[in-house]
Amino acid sequence: MAITTESCPTRLLHQRCRQVAALALITSLGAGCSDQQGVGDGAGAVGGSGATAGVGTGGSSGSGAGVGGGCTTAGTFGGGSGGSTSGGSAGSSAGASGSAGSAGTGTAGQGGAGAGGSSGASGSAGATAGGTAGTAGSAGGAGTSGAAGGGGAGGALVWPNAESSTNSDEWLVEHHDQLTKIEPRVLLVNFANGVSDQEAVDKAEAIVGAVAEGSRYHGYSNPDAPPFVEYKIAHVVNMPGEPLRSGNHFGYVEFMTGQNFAGQVAFPGNESLTVCELFEQGLINEAWVVETADDSAKLYEQKTLGQRYDANFQKMEGQLDRCAGNGCIEDAFTCGVTVRLGEVNPDRGPGCATHAWGHGIESQVRTRQIPYFTANASRFFNFDLDDRHGTPFGDFYMCPYNNQTCIEYVSSTHLRNGPASPQTFDIPEFGDGCGNVHFASHSRYQYDYERRDRHGPRDV
């Protein structure tokens, strides 16, 4: 059903489950951080030799623990200092060499190796322990330096940054588990008649806020949880009444690669670059288009030209899927990185945008653009019900759009077909997923978002 005829909630879907949308915005998934502690040992100095088998005292333990800062604060790093040693006592005649001092242990730098952390400093050299002069006693050897402390925890790692800013960058694959925040850059183009530049920006900023709120990890239980995704409007172009057209649909080729349109966009400092080139150079990561609902040739909801990856997160060269969004891009154009295009409806709230773009995320799952994402998100979205529960369908999108009960809750975990279901099913142990754009975890039919218990409506 088209977004123009749907009743869209202005809140995000499923308070406990909504942050999954953030994960699909980067090339590979995860935003964890390492908590492993490093261990370093500083060897003590060799004991001095004495004339009559003097014994050198073992090196003392090295010190200097690094302080880890966790995922958001840069850690400091300490190296264990080398152990000092004492020489052997003097002998009256040529004595045997003193025995070696025992190894001093340098305290490891605490905190897991985090992104942005520098390496621990080397431990200082142990003091030379010369044996007191004997008749033929040789000098004690120098103590070896203590081992460097382990790396402290790195600070916050935000993308885009000075090292990486383009979609489909290998850097994202290498650092996906270290990222603490992403701030995709957006080109906003206002094609809507009667919508001012400021009104367009206000609509876009409302969407920015909604996505940020939805990306707060466990925000339902932690009011201080920071957002993971926070879009930044990089450039605004006001072109009311001048939408691009090609065969009565959105002119993707002209929009993405047209030199005339590039001149109208005139991105600051790069006025001659096409929109595709802005993507390829990392000046933008998404483009949003403001269009009214009655525009018959608009960019519909959310479209993606998505770089495909294999199971090892390696790019499949030359394979960019133009159906990786909510529906396919009608016109073929060439661009070297993933391109995301979004519709901003000036007559609707931000809930409709998150709803529409959520369908784009679902398409990423269905098209297996990133196999890892498909493998992990299918269960979350309650897809693959046929594989997991033996149903004759893959998901509840098979239900009709008539607001009649398609899913009946026998109990909170026992589901079976309702009177409106076109197919028979019985799932006695449900609850392993969270929901998708049209079906919350409690929904009985399409768009059944209102809060209720598993057996029917209740007051809240």
Side-chain angles (χ1 to χ4, degrees):
M1 181 175 291
I3 194 70
T4 53
T5 60
E6 292 173 0
S7 175
C8 301
T10 56
R11 65 185 182 280
L12 297 179
L13 299 180
H14 330 321
Q15 185 87 343
R16 298 194 176 203
C17 307
R18 60 195 179 185
Q19 61 264 22
V20 73
L23 301 179
L25 296 176
I26 56 178
T27 300
S28 53
L29 309 181
C33 53
S34 174
D35 290 320
Q36 299 301 310
Q37 292 185 344
V39 176
D41 291 325
V46 177
S49 59
T52 55
V55 178
T57 304
S60 61
S61 176
S63 62
V67 179
C71 296
T72 57
T73 305
T76 57
F77 309 90
S81 60
S84 61
T85 60
S86 301
S89 60
S92 59
S93 60
S97 298
S99 60
S102 60
T105 301
T107 303
Q110 298 175 349
S118 60
S119 61
S122 297
S124 58
T128 300
T132 306
T135 304
S138 58
T144 58
S145 62
L157 184 59
V158 180
W159 182 87
N161 52 54
E163 188 176 354
S164 171
S165 61
T166 61
N167 297 346
S168 313
D169 191 353
E170 187 67 23
W171 186 95
L172 286 168
V173 176
E174 296 170 353
H175 295 85
H176 70 97
D177 60 345
Q178 300 163 2
L179 283 168
T180 56
K181 189 177 185 181
I182 63 173
E183 299 177 342
R185 300 163 180 167
V186 176
L187 169 66
L188 180 65
V189 182
N190 178 22
F191 284 151
N193 277 317
V195 177
S196 70
D197 197 355
Q198 188 58 53
E199 289 172 328
V201 170
D202 290 344
K203 284 291 182 180
E205 290 291 358
I207 296 170
V208 170
V211 174
E213 174 65 19
S215 70
R216 294 171 56 242
Y217 182 68
H218 285 190
Y220 65 90
S221 61
N222 179 10
D224 297 323
F228 179 68
V229 182
E230 192 167 10
Y231 285 103
K232 301 295 182 183
I233 306 299
H235 183 49
V236 180
V237 183
N238 198 28
M239 301 172 60
E242 298 182 39
L244 301 168
R245 295 294 177 263
S246 176
N248 201 35
H249 63 262
F250 190 80
Y252 294 98
V253 174
E254 176 61 18
F255 184 91
M256 291 299 303
T257 63
Q259 201 61 56
N260 290 336
F261 185 66
Q264 293 175 288
V265 170
F267 195 92
N270 297 273
E271 288 79 3
S272 63
L273 293 184
T274 66
V275 173
C276 174
E277 290 168 336
L278 294 175
F279 273 99
E280 291 175 334
Q281 295 193 23
L283 296 172
I284 63 172
N285 305 109
E286 298 196 15
W288 299 354
V289 179
V290 182
E291 298 168 314
T292 57
D294 60 358
D295 189 339
S296 61
K298 66 178 181 176
L299 186 155
Y300 179 71
E301 293 195 349
Q302 195 276 344
K303 295 291 188 288
T304 297
L305 178 71
Q307 171 66 56
R308 297 190 67 84
Y309 290 81
D310 64 20
N312 296 315
F313 292 107
Q314 298 301 305
K315 290 182 184 178
M316 301 173 71
E317 294 298 332
Q319 296 192 35
L320 284 99
D321 189 348
R322 61 190 183 93
C323 297
N326 187 17
C328 298
I329 296 174
E330 294 94 336
D331 300 330
F333 62 84
T334 300
C335 201
V337 298
T338 290
V339 171
R340 290 191 177 88
L341 308 174
E343 172 198 3
V344 177
N345 187 331
D347 300 320
R348 296 292 184 100
C352 277
T354 58
H355 179 116
W357 297 350
H359 284 313
I361 295 171
E362 291 176 335
S363 293
Q364 285 183 279
V365 177
R366 297 180 188 279
T367 60
R368 301 185 60 82
Q369 179 197 349
I370 304 171
Y372 176 90
F373 184 47
T374 297
N376 288 273
S378 292
R379 176 175 174 176
F380 185 97
F381 286 132
N382 282 335
F383 292 166
D384 296 340
L385 296 179
D386 47 352
D387 292 336
R388 290 184 288 114
H389 295 292
T391 61
F393 51 85
D395 54 66
F396 289 126
Y397 277 98
M398 62 85 185
C399 290
Y401 292 85
N402 59 8
N403 292 349
Q404 302 297 314
T405 299
C406 178
I407 306 165
E408 182 177 290
Y409 290 86
V410 179
S411 71
S412 60
T413 58
H414 184 182
L415 278 61
R416 66 187 180 193
N417 57 281
S421 176
Q423 301 194 52
T424 301
F425 64 92
D426 192 306
I427 307 176
E429 296 182 1
F430 190 70
D432 47 356
C434 196
N436 49 55
V437 176
H438 284 195
F439 293 89
S441 56
H442 59 262
S443 294
R444 301 163 300 167
Y445 45 82
Q446 303 268 1
Y447 312 125
D448 183 19
Y449 300 132
E450 297 309 311
R451 187 176 179 184
R452 63 186 76 247
D453 63 21
R454 297 285 187 171
H455 302 286
R458 65 182 173 93
D459 294 331
V460 294

